[in-house]
Amino acid sequence: HEQILSNAPPPVDSYIAVETAEDQYRLIVRLPGYKRDSITLAVRRHKILHVVADSWEVGGGHFERRISFGYDADLVRVRAEFDGEHLRVIVPRKPPPPGWSNTLS
């Protein structure tokens, strides 16, 4: 019998890149060979974004990454779009608390 879910690794040309802007984090995940309905985004412990993709096609594989964010990531308002090759995820950033400064004394 054949396995339902492949244990194969993701394609070697899969990757994830994270960019930081003043008002958001941008993630670009390259997922060649995956379909939109096989991609799952989940939030864990209010600070971890879990990205999972599975392909049941011949030569398919399993892609899984966990990205940890700090206090300023608004993981309730995550937006994502997939164009058939790249998953683009936008995580808005919350403004810093009043009186907070990122400069060292």
Side-chain angles (χ1 to χ4, degrees):
H1 77 39
E2 190 173 331
Q3 284 186 320
I4 294 175
L5 183 60
S6 171
N7 290 329
V12 293
D13 51 354
S14 295
Y15 65 80
I16 186 166
V18 180
E19 301 172 354
T20 303
E22 189 173 316
D23 61 342
Q24 65 186 358
Y25 296 101
R26 290 184 296 268
L27 284 69
I28 296 108
V29 187
R30 185 162 190 267
L31 296 170
Y34 291 90
K35 295 183 178 158
R36 181 180 176 192
D37 61 353
S38 71
I39 301 169
T40 302
L41 295 176
V43 175
R44 307 274 189 232
R45 288 183 244 152
H46 305 290
K47 65 178 184 174
I48 300 170
L49 182 66
H50 193 187
V51 181
V52 180
D54 289 296
S55 175
W56 293 273
E57 305 294 325
V58 174
H62 176 77
F63 178 91
E64 184 171 354
R65 297 292 184 277
R66 290 178 182 91
I67 302 96
S68 295
F69 291 93
Y71 74 92
D72 66 337
D74 189 350
L75 292 172
V76 172
R77 298 184 326 146
V78 172
R79 296 185 325 264
E81 61 181 40
F82 184 62
D83 65 12
E85 184 171 340
H86 291 94
L87 174 68
R88 289 175 177 79
V89 182
I90 302 296
V91 179
R93 294 178 76 177
K94 299 174 191 174
W100 185 84
S101 173
N102 65 356
T103 59
L104 299 174
S105 300

